[in-house]
Amino acid sequence: MTLAASGLGNLTLSPASLDALAPMHIVLDGDGMVRQAGSTLCKLLAKLAGTPEAKLVGANAFDLLEIRRPHAVTSVALLAECFGQRLDLRLKSFPEMRMRGQALPIAQGGGAFLNISLGVSFAETVERCDLTLSDFSPCDSTIELLYLREAIVAVSQESQNLTNRLILAEQAAQAQAKSDALTGLANRRRFDRYFDAEW
């Protein structure tokens, strides 16, 4: 695929290079038909929408995706108008998953390159679709969000463990305060509390 790269002439990328840089991309022809799709996007669509890769390539992108912002986009011409802007998009078959995107016109053929990333629903999507770090570009901010999420879960679990240990230590201290250290039998303090509770 050849992209118009200002100051560099035309930049040609192989499908494998493009997939390594943007594993959630779609290459559209001038009619909006998907000519190429990134491996992670294919995996995601297969899990969420039941759309195998064979059906993704050759499908109309605007039948799969709804682009809402900056305005409704229903054609490649309208997509080209959004060059440089952040796009808010969703899968039509799974609208609760919000995604972000950016479009770039393709030099020949009047098509477009659409790079997509997960939005605020990244954690649920990653878990639901069995995505791993290798499913994302090394510079995708989703990787940092995944690390941050793992750190929050680990800190939360450690905090819960500490709370449980403190509760057990308090219970042990209270039991020790109410019993004789040598015999383990109830001491005067325990007897007084029991007697006060009964009367």
Side-chain angles (χ1 to χ4, degrees):
M1 182 183 80
T2 303
L3 301 175
S6 177
L8 297 174
N10 288 333
L11 176 65
T12 303
L13 295 172
S14 70
S17 298
L18 194 55
D19 196 46
L21 288 172
M24 287 187 58
H25 75 275
I26 298 177
V27 177
L28 309 175
D29 66 14
D31 297 323
M33 305 305 279
V34 177
R35 294 296 168 225
Q36 182 180 327
S39 58
T40 300
L41 185 61
C42 290
K43 183 176 180 180
L44 188 142
L45 284 169
K47 288 277 190 176
L48 295 178
T51 306
E53 183 176 356
K55 291 194 176 183
L56 179 60
V57 174
N60 187 312
F62 302 105
D63 289 340
L64 299 171
L65 299 170
E66 178 184 8
I67 302 175
R68 297 180 169 194
R69 287 187 183 90
H71 53 77
V73 175
T74 54
S75 69
V76 175
L78 290 173
L79 190 60
E81 292 176 12
C82 299
F83 173 65
Q85 298 180 47
R86 177 180 161 165
L87 305 175
D88 178 19
L89 49 102
R90 298 181 182 177
L91 293 174
K92 286 189 174 180
S93 59
F94 201 76
E96 55 269 26
M97 187 182 75
R98 297 177 60 191
M99 298 183 293
R100 298 186 303 257
Q102 185 173 19
L104 179 68
I106 296 177
Q108 75 280 359
F113 169 78
L114 179 60
N115 192 24
I116 300 170
S117 68
L118 299 176
V120 294
S121 58
F122 80 94
E124 179 189 345
T125 305
V126 165
E127 186 174 320
R128 191 170 191 160
C129 298
D130 300 321
L131 301 178
T132 64
L133 294 177
S134 63
D135 290 314
F136 298 96
S137 165
C139 58
D140 192 330
S141 61
T142 304
I143 291 178
E144 279 76 28
L145 294 173
L146 289 173
Y147 283 132
L148 182 60
R149 181 173 179 258
E150 287 179 15
I152 289 170
V153 168
V155 167
S156 176
Q157 183 61 48
E158 191 55 39
S159 175
Q160 184 62 49
N161 291 342
L162 179 60
T163 300
N164 291 341
R165 287 195 301 269
L166 288 172
I167 289 170
L168 291 174
E170 180 186 15
Q171 290 171 347
Q174 287 178 359
Q176 187 178 13
K178 296 175 190 173
S179 60
D180 181 69
L182 185 60
T183 64
L185 298 173
N187 63 12
R188 177 68 185 239
R189 183 179 293 138
R190 190 175 208 176
F191 172 76
D192 288 343
R193 285 198 178 179
Y194 178 77
F195 185 74
D196 290 343
E198 289 294 314
W199 297 96

